[in-house]
């Protein structure tokens, strides 16, 4: 169990560091500002602006919920491992290892998302491949 505890602590640290890179606190502040704007009585007077703000708010909520869920799940696995460190329950150990592996995979996918987190990465893209001389 000690190995699981160490791995979850390491994963928690990595998630925290990436949360800083993503500026999770800033995202939460931005979400609060957007929600305040959306609660104004004249918010829907400008439909295109309202739709843009609503989409941005939904996107922020989804991203924040994903990171919060990951952090909570990692914390739960670590706590369960710490509570059962003295027990020789191989079934629980296997379950925690599986859950930890799933969390590490989820984090790796989110880590990839960070690489594609630029200003224009939310826009659609068209890719054209044109074969030229060279015979492939």
């Amino acid at each position: 169990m000690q190995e699981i505890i160490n791995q979850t602590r390491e994963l928690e640290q990595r998630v925290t560091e990436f949360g800083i890179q993503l500026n999770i606190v800033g995202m939460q502040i931005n979400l609060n500002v957007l929600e305040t704007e959306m609660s104004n009585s004249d918010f829907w007077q400008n439909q295109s602006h309202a739709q843009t703000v609503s989409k941005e708010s939904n996107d922020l909520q989804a991203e924040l919920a994903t990171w919060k869920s990951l952090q909570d799940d990692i914390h739960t696995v670590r706590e369960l491992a710490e509570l059962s460190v003295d027990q020789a329950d191989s079934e629980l150990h296997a379950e925690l290892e599986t859950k930890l592996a799933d969390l590490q995979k989820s984090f790796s996918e989110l880590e990839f998302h960070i690489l594609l987190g630029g200003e224009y990465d939310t826009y659609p893209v068209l890719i054209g491949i044109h074969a030229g001389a060279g015979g492939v």
Side-chain angles (χ1 to χ4, degrees), residues 99-113:
K99 182 66 175 170
L100 180 59
D102 291 344
L103 291 170
Q104 288 171 330
K105 181 181 179 202
S106 295
F107 177 68
S108 293
E109 291 169 0
L110 290 172
E111 205 172 23
F112 180 74
H113 173 73

Side-chain angles (χ1 to χ4, degrees), residues 44-60:
W44 289 101
Q45 296 298 324
N46 182 345
Q47 290 287 321
S48 64
H49 175 70
Q51 289 175 348
T52 301
V53 169
S54 294
K55 181 182 180 331
E56 186 177 351
S57 173
N58 290 338
D59 292 346
L60 283 172

Side-chain angles (χ1 to χ4, degrees), residues 23-29 31 59-71:
N23 191 17
I24 297 291
V25 173
M27 291 170 67
Q28 184 62 54
I29 291 170
L31 178 61
D59 292 346
L60 283 172
Q61 285 176 345
E63 191 159 355
L64 288 169
T66 299
W67 283 95
K68 174 85 170 106
S69 174
L70 180 64
Q71 288 175 323

Side-chain angles (χ1 to χ4, degrees), residues 52-126:
T52 301
V53 169
S54 294
K55 181 182 180 331
E56 186 177 351
S57 173
N58 290 338
D59 292 346
L60 283 172
Q61 285 176 345
E63 191 159 355
L64 288 169
T66 299
W67 283 95
K68 174 85 170 106
S69 174
L70 180 64
Q71 288 175 323
D72 290 346
D73 290 347
I74 294 168
H75 183 75
T76 300
V77 168
R78 184 178 51 80
E79 282 186 339
L80 284 172
E82 288 174 346
L83 290 173
S84 60
V85 74
D86 294 333
Q87 298 175 1
D89 188 352
S90 61
E91 187 176 311
L92 177 62
H93 189 270
E95 185 177 333
L96 290 175
E97 280 183 332
T98 301
K99 182 66 175 170
L100 180 59
D102 291 344
L103 291 170
Q104 288 171 330
K105 181 181 179 202
S106 295
F107 177 68
S108 293
E109 291 169 0
L110 290 172
E111 205 172 23
F112 180 74
H113 173 73
I114 289 170
L115 296 174
L116 300 177
E119 179 181 353
Y120 300 106
D121 289 335
T122 58
Y123 294 110
V125 64
L126 293 176

